[in-house]
Amino acid sequence: GEDVEQSLFLSVREGDSSVINCTYTDSSSTYLYWYKQEPGAGLQLLTYIFSNMDMKQDQRLTVLLNKKDKHLSLRIADTQTGDSAIYFCAETPGSSASKIIFGSGTRLSIRP
Amino acid sequence: DGGITQSPKYLFRKEGQNVTLSCEQNLNHDAMYWYRQDPGQGLRLIYYSQIVNDFQKGDIAEGYSVSREKKESFPLTVTSAQKNPTAFYLCASNTAGGNYGYTFGSGTRLTVV
């Protein structure tokens, strides 16, 4: 089946790097995504990576994909208070290009 | 500006009432989706539509209904058959077969009083 799993909480000190991890089960996933949700708001697409890529960098964000282990991570460099949010990992399964499967989200909190 | 508009932002429903949540997009996207989000949980798919006048049930369609009479609009009705409707509802859209992620609306918080 298709499943995406993430840890529920992560706490980091302001200025440190945050690493949010995700595992998925569908080896034929085509695209993988990271979304950010601030309190009371919808989800905002942060970045996505195609399954034939290992890494993608966009300013403070680095996405690493280990396709063999079906592991996706999001690294946020120099974490700021504005990065406090819930981060969702998601995938487009190989069986259906029209649906996206979401993880349960990781709540990132920032310590001063 | 292009985007998805959900209304209202907050909605209160009495027991036994049907309510309709609005979702409108001006992105010219073919596909539209409704998700339900409960506290501390991920998103669960209620219904989706890939083309006008056609829609499919998602994982938790019971107690909900939708219509897709126009490309821009995908309203969700929460019926009295939905036993636990209090939740945050999110609408999303993308191009048909698009793999570049969904665009989400800002959500409607529904509370049963």
Side-chain angles (χ1 to χ4, degrees), chain A residues 30-31 33 35 37 40-43 45 48 88 92 97-100 102-104, chain B residues 9 33 35 37 41-43 45 48 50 88 90 98-102 104-106:
Chain A
T30 53
Y31 285 82
Y33 312 87
Y35 283 85
Q37 184 182 33
L43 274 67
L45 179 65
Y48 65 92
F88 289 92
T92 297
S98 59
K99 287 203 302 184
I100 293 180
F102 289 87
S104 298
Chain B
K9 191 167 176 64
Y33 307 81
Y35 286 89
Q37 184 179 25
Q41 297 190 32
L43 279 65
L45 182 63
Y48 66 102
Q50 294 179 270
F88 190 52
L90 287 161
N99 286 309
Y100 305 113
Y102 295 167
F104 278 87
S106 56

Side-chain angles (χ1 to χ4, degrees), chain A residues 47-105:
Chain A
T47 186
Y48 65 92
I49 188 168
F50 188 50
S51 58
N52 68 354
M53 297 170 64
D54 299 324
M55 185 183 89
K56 182 177 181 181
Q57 188 155 2
D58 184 3
Q59 299 182 336
R60 291 192 298 123
L61 304 179
T62 303
V63 177
L64 295 177
L65 175 60
N66 181 329
K67 198 171 180 182
K68 173 176 167 290
D69 294 338
K70 298 189 208 118
H71 182 267
L72 183 75
S73 68
L74 174 69
R75 179 177 178 269
I76 305 172
D78 187 23
T79 308
Q80 302 299 308
T81 54
D83 295 322
S84 292
I86 301 175
Y87 291 82
F88 289 92
C89 173
E91 60 150 357
T92 297
S95 61
S96 173
S98 59
K99 287 203 302 184
I100 293 180
I101 310 297
F102 289 87
S104 298

